Amino acid sequence: MTTVKTGPPQDRSDALPASGTRTYVRLWLSQWLACAAVSFTVFALELNIYVDFDPIWLIVIGYAILFVPFPILSPFAGAFVDRYGHRRALLISNIGTLLNLMVLVVVMVTGVGGALYAVSAAGISTIFRTLQLAAIESVVPLLVPKRHYGRANGPRMLMTATFVLAGPLFSYLLLSVAAPVTIVLAECLLVVLAIYVVVTSRIPVVKRPDGDAPHQSLRMDVVDAWRHLRLRRGLLTMVGFLALVSGTLGALEPASSGAVLGFSPDGGAIVVSTSCWLGMVVATILMVFWGVPRKLVMSGLLGAGLVFALALCAAAFRPDLILMSAGGFIAMGSLAVIIASFQTVIHLKIQPHLLGRVFGLKNTSVTLSHIVGDVGAIALGVAFLSSDFSYVGRPPGEGWDDVSSPILAAFIGDGPGRGWALVIMLIGVGVAAVVALLATRSRGLRRLEEDLPDVIPDDQPRQSTEDLAPVGATEPAPGRQSV
């Protein structure tokens, strides 16, 4: 691994705030703690819409409240960031999240409401997260030198995946020593810390170009960003590939749980998810110290994508707890490289005044794909696999518990959970096929780094802070006074 290549050295004394990198680190850490804390609410409250809600229509409502608002609102959140600034977006997000958590504490103490309100509170926090993610993803070029983009993007996956993967373990540990209301109160303190960091940080602002009409609607802002992205086929293909990977993750959530629970008790699922999280952490540490791969597309996106696919196939090959844990460790580590490489390419190729909207569109595409993969895998399980992973309506021994084909049994074994193992293996084969197709047939993606010039040719972009003149302001000529 290496850091992003830069151009020839130049005088950059006025390019970025002197403490820009430190400011970004403080922002990222505080926002990560706030985001992770809010994500942990679902585990702290022991919410499970498939258990707490009985009628199917209540399950649908609960799922929609938790997940649907994010892809709908993300593009507009990105447009808000581009128009009104990162500081304002982060403050609105954090303050709104804090108020929502405080109301949830009152509800928990008084006993008013129930599971539906708890799900609603988690959904409201998800809405505020659209602003948070669009702001923190797009602020990198305003604070971090170009040569450190890869390092800054290395921890990106930790922002949203930490408590999804490590949540079961942390919930077990925390709930054994503290009440849920105490945990939510601790979350409020972390959000207060995030607000303090935003208030005390100098965050640069970006001046919109003259052609970007300030009076047009947020919807038109989003349309402008979509048109800009569509004209660059390699970038759009890259977003599509990331959406495919996200859909794969959505399908893997029920599939991996089904496979593990087929041959291991509940503790096995915690072991596998924790191993996945550790793989992501190790990859993040490596990228923070050494940077992303030099060839962002071929090595970072497609190369790590191939490793991701092969790890899935290996984990599903006659799976047991050790094999699933090792496969998950490698797969999630590879996924962290994919995400960091994608983020770095976007920062290099998209103008700063469009970054919020582009990341908003990216968040919409990957979230919709994730939902489709998740719901599709759940529907597959309901339609064909019973709770013991045999076909619905058939006793154990006539479904996936008894693999009659010796060829198939040689790959996935014979026993509980083997139907889900086959699903995981097919997903891995499919992702590998897509990677091979893109690497050989998609010229726009393969040559993206060469064909699209970096929008920031210097090592650091010329940006202003909120206390200085806006970006694009010119210095007065020698001997002349500025008015």
Side-chain angles (χ1 to χ4, degrees):
M1 290 187 178
T2 185
T3 54
V4 177
K5 294 182 292 185
T6 63
Q10 298 182 16
D11 180 13
R12 303 180 184 91
S13 60
D14 60 348
L16 290 174
S19 61
T21 301
R22 293 194 299 272
T23 298
Y24 175 75
V25 172
R26 292 172 63 239
L27 276 176
W28 190 92
L29 285 174
S30 61
Q31 294 302 314
W32 172 68
L33 288 173
C35 182
V38 173
S39 299
F40 188 63
T41 302
V42 175
F43 295 101
L45 299 179
E46 298 182 301
L47 290 175
N48 189 334
I49 59 176
Y50 303 106
V51 174
D52 298 332
F53 298 163
D54 187 16
I56 186 64
W57 62 271
L58 277 180
I59 293 178
V60 172
I61 291 176
Y63 192 95
I65 291 174
L66 281 174
F67 301 108
V68 173
F70 188 87
I72 294 176
L73 298 177
S74 284
F76 302 101
F80 183 94
V81 171
D82 286 340
R83 178 175 294 192
Y84 299 108
H86 300 75
R87 182 198 298 274
R88 189 172 299 177
L90 288 174
L91 284 176
I92 292 175
S93 172
N94 293 160
I95 293 174
T97 298
L98 178 62
L99 294 176
N100 182 51
L101 290 177
M102 291 174 64
V103 172
L104 180 59
V105 168
V106 173
V107 170
M108 295 172 68
V109 172
T110 60
V112 178
L116 186 58
Y117 181 83
V119 171
S120 299
I124 292 171
S125 294
T126 299
I127 292 174
F128 286 117
R129 191 180 300 173
T130 60
L131 282 171
Q132 180 193 35
L133 290 184
I136 203 67
E137 285 184 317
S138 60
V139 79
V140 172
L142 308 182
L143 293 171
V144 179
K146 180 180 176 181
R147 64 185 181 276
H148 294 317
Y149 283 5
R151 294 181 178 183
N153 287 314
R156 168 60 187 87
M157 193 174 171
L158 289 176
M159 179 69 72
T160 50
T162 292
F163 280 84
V164 173
L165 295 173
L169 175 62
F170 290 155
S171 65
Y172 174 79
L173 296 176
L174 289 178
L175 290 174
S176 64
V177 297
V181 66
T182 304
I183 296 174
V184 177
L185 284 172
E187 294 173 3
C188 291
L189 293 178
L190 291 177
V191 177
V192 169
L193 174 63
I195 294 173
Y196 171 78
V197 172
V198 174
V199 170
T200 57
S201 298
R202 297 179 64 193
I203 304 177
V205 294
V206 179
K207 181 180 178 181
R208 294 162 64 99
D210 295 337
D212 209 356
H215 59 274
Q216 70 181 9
S217 65
L218 291 178
R219 184 183 67 84
M220 288 306 301
D221 280 356
V222 174
V223 171
D224 289 344
W226 167 254
R227 290 171 178 167
H228 183 86
L229 195 61
R230 188 179 60 181
L231 293 176
R232 291 152 177 79
R233 291 186 302 170
L235 290 180
L236 201 57
T237 303
M238 191 173 64
V239 173
F241 176 71
L242 194 65
L244 170 69
V245 173
S246 180
T248 297
L249 284 178
L252 286 174
E253 289 176 0
S256 59
S257 297
V260 173
L261 293 176
F263 54 78
S264 176
D266 292 345
I270 295 179
V271 170
V272 173
S273 62
T274 302
S275 179
C276 292
W277 177 66
L278 289 175
M280 183 177 60
V281 171
V282 170
T284 294
I285 293 173
L286 292 175
M287 286 186 289
V288 168
F289 279 96
W290 285 286
V292 294
R294 182 176 295 273
K295 296 182 178 180
L296 292 169
V297 174
M298 296 304 295
S299 299
L301 278 172
L302 299 182
L306 182 60
V307 174
F308 173 78
L310 295 177
L312 295 183
C313 293
F317 185 80
R318 305 179 67 85
D320 56 27
L321 189 59
I322 296 178
L323 195 59
M324 291 288 290
S325 298
F329 181 92
I330 297 173
M332 296 307 294
S334 303
L335 185 59
V337 177
I338 294 173
I339 299 296
S341 299
F342 174 90
Q343 299 280 123
T344 303
V345 171
I346 294 297
H347 289 145
L348 290 172
K349 307 300 180 181
I350 298 294
Q351 288 84 353
H353 73 276
L354 290 168
L355 280 177
R357 284 165 280 178
V358 169
F359 280 119
L361 290 170
K362 180 269 295 183
N363 290 336
T364 291
S365 64
V366 298
T367 306
L368 286 177
S369 180
H370 190 97
I371 291 174
V372 170
D374 190 32
V375 173
I378 293 173
L380 177 67
V382 171
F384 298 104
L385 301 172
S386 66
S387 59
D388 59 5
F389 312 112
S390 61
Y391 279 107
V392 173
R394 298 183 183 181
E398 296 184 15
W400 287 113
D401 289 348
D402 182 14
V403 181
S404 58
S405 171
I407 297 178
L408 189 59
F411 284 95
I412 63 174
D414 184 6
R418 304 305 164 171
W420 287 117
L422 178 61
V423 171
I424 295 173
M425 182 170 289
L426 292 177
I427 289 175
V429 171
V431 173
V434 171
V435 168
L437 183 65
L438 292 176
T440 57
R441 306 295 297 178
S442 178
R443 183 185 183 279
L445 183 61
R446 286 185 290 111
R447 295 193 52 81
L448 185 150
E449 294 179 81
E450 293 79 11
D451 292 345
L452 286 182
D454 293 352
V455 297
I456 302 171
D458 299 330
D459 188 40
Q460 294 180 336
R462 178 183 293 273
Q463 300 291 353
S464 67
T465 67
E466 293 174 349
D467 302 323
L468 303 177
V471 172
T474 58
E475 298 290 338
R480 296 179 59 185
Q481 297 292 328
S482 59
V483 179

